[in-house]
Amino acid sequence: MGFSLAWIAIRGKSKDDILAQLSLADTGEPDELNESPVSGADLPGGGYLLVFKDMAHPATQAEGMARLSAGCEALGCQVEEHVMASAAFQYKDGTKLWDVVHLSEEGLYHLAVDGTPSALLATIHAEMKATQDEQGGADADVDCLFEVPLMLATALCGYRHDEAALLSGETLDFTELVPAAPGAGRRH
């Protein structure tokens, strides 16, 4: 079994506004292992993290990210270990700043970059390319460049989908999020 999920870290918008925009409600039920279709947690220092069990959830698509990042900043990551595909992307004020995508089906060294991601990308890419070379290059049984988007997103946010704690050592308190009842929170 491999991971198939996506996550978005939003800074500059309140949890209530994020949940209302996505028509989600917080049950308050702990979801330590992100087993629910959608879960969320407050980030240390401000911000909110959403984890989706669907790596192609509409919120993680270009249109969803543009809407979600209106008036704030949103960093997203997609992980599909079954086909060794990964992506990291950042939007601010409704505009995509960059994305980094690895698709194993395009080759073990595949890495597509659009926009201007953090300078950390060059270091991470060089490290993983060297590791791929050491493991046998294009004939290896491992896909080291799959890690590049994940490592970049982790470096920028501190969160990694397969780690119990943030890079800082802090743990997050995830709770289950469910579709909000129609009309919930609206006033007439």
Side-chain angles (χ1 to χ4, degrees):
M1 298 261 330
F3 287 97
S4 179
L5 57 81
W7 59 262
I8 304 171
I10 301 115
R11 295 194 186 274
K13 189 178 278 190
S14 74
K15 172 186 171 181
D16 289 342
D17 287 345
I18 294 164
L19 296 183
Q21 188 172 358
L22 295 173
S23 299
L24 293 170
D26 189 343
T27 65
E29 291 295 319
D31 187 18
E32 293 175 19
L33 301 177
N34 303 113
E35 294 174 329
S36 303
V38 185
S39 55
D42 291 316
L43 288 167
Y48 192 68
L49 179 69
L50 297 156
V51 176
F52 304 93
K53 289 286 282 226
D54 174 5
M55 68 85 59
H57 189 279
T60 66
Q61 303 307 303
E63 188 177 306
M65 287 293 292
R67 276 195 313 271
L68 194 55
S69 70
C72 67
E73 195 168 313
L75 173 70
C77 187
Q78 294 171 309
V79 181
E80 179 51 79
E81 290 182 352
H82 304 97
V83 296
M84 298 305 284
S86 59
F89 37 91
Q90 188 169 26
Y91 285 68
K92 183 175 182 177
D93 295 325
T95 301
K96 180 175 81 170
L97 301 178
W98 56 265
D99 66 25
V100 176
V101 178
H102 171 74
L103 301 172
S104 185
E105 66 185 26
E106 299 290 327
L108 294 180
Y109 286 96
H110 173 264
L111 194 69
V113 179
D114 184 40
T116 308
S118 167
L120 291 170
L121 175 62
T123 303
I124 294 168
H125 184 226
E127 177 186 335
M128 290 296 95
K129 185 180 177 304
T131 303
Q132 187 70 44
D133 292 343
E134 291 168 10
Q135 296 295 318
D139 296 325
D141 290 333
V142 296
D143 182 352
C144 299
L145 274 77
F146 169 80
E147 291 291 327
V148 173
L150 308 180
M151 292 171 70
L152 179 60
T154 300
L156 296 174
C157 174
Y159 174 75
R160 184 167 166 112
H161 68 283
D162 56 0
E163 297 288 334
L166 298 173
L167 288 178
S168 65
E170 296 171 89
T171 57
L172 298 177
D173 295 319
F174 283 98
T175 55
E176 178 184 23
L177 304 177
V178 296
R186 292 186 184 161
R187 293 187 179 175
H188 298 282

